[in-house]
Amino acid sequence: MILFHSPLSPFVRKVMVVLHETGQLGRVTLQAVNISPVNGDEQLNQGNPIGKIPALRLDDGSVLHDSRVICEFLDTQHVGNPLLPREGSARWRRLTLASQADAIMDAAVATRYETFLRPADKQWDGWVAAQGEKIRRSLANLEQEHLAELASGFDLAAIGVACALGYLDLRQPEFGWREQQPGLAAWYAEVSQRASMLATLPTA
C-alpha cells in the first residue's frame, strides 16, 4: 500500500500513529506530497479527485481518502484489540469523540491557512477568532466530560485528540490550552511519550 502524506498534517499523523500502534507500518510505502489549498499533486489526484491527504492506495489500485476512513480500514486489518468498538452505543460515543478531535484539527488547520497563506490585507480576523472559539469550547468539553474516556485506552478517539493537541503546539504554541485544561495537559504529557507519538512527532 502507498500512503500519500505530509508529516506536518495532523490528519496524516493520526494515520501514522495507527500504523505504529497496530504494527502495520511495514505494510505501507510513504510517498511525500507538498500541497496547499491552491496547489495540488498529480499523483495524489489519481483516484482521489478532491486531492486530500492522507490518501491510501491499496494493493488493488483503489484509493481511500479521509483519515477517518483510512483509520477505520486499518483497524480491520490487524489482529490486536480493535481501536474502536465494533458495535453498540460505545461505538457511536467513541466515533463522536473522534469526530470532535477532527473538528479541532479542522479549525486549527483553517486558522493556519488564513494566517499564513492568505495575504495580510485579506485576512479575516473575526473568522480566525471564531475558529479559536471552536477549539476552546472543544478542549473545555474534553476536560470537563471526557478525561476518563480518554484515559481508558489509546484508541482512535484518544489518538485523534493527541494529534490535535500536538498540532496546536506546533502551529499555535501561544494558544495556552494547558493553563485552562490541566487534566487534559497531564493526560497528553503521558500519551505523548508513547513510541508511536514520539516516532511521528512533527517538526516545523
Side-chain angles (χ1 to χ4, degrees), residues 42-119:
E42 191 91 11
Q43 281 191 292
L44 175 65
N45 294 344
Q46 294 176 14
N48 174 23
I50 203 166
K52 293 188 69 169
I53 58 168
L56 184 66
R57 179 165 290 141
L58 306 183
D59 294 336
D60 65 2
S62 61
V63 178
L64 304 179
H65 54 81
D66 190 278
S67 62
R68 279 177 284 195
V69 175
I70 295 170
C71 287
E72 285 217 51
F73 170 77
L74 293 172
D75 196 27
T76 68
Q77 301 298 304
H78 66 105
V79 296
N81 292 328
L83 294 179
L84 273 180
R86 298 293 192 222
E87 58 187 8
S89 60
R91 173 175 175 78
W92 306 118
R93 185 172 177 86
R94 300 303 280 188
L95 276 173
T96 300
L97 191 55
S99 177
Q100 184 169 330
D102 281 353
I104 295 171
M105 294 185 220
D106 280 332
V109 169
T111 298
R112 171 69 176 177
Y113 287 159
E114 182 72 15
T115 58
F116 184 74
L117 292 179
R118 192 183 295 275

Side-chain angles (χ1 to χ4, degrees), residues 18 26 37 49:
V18 168

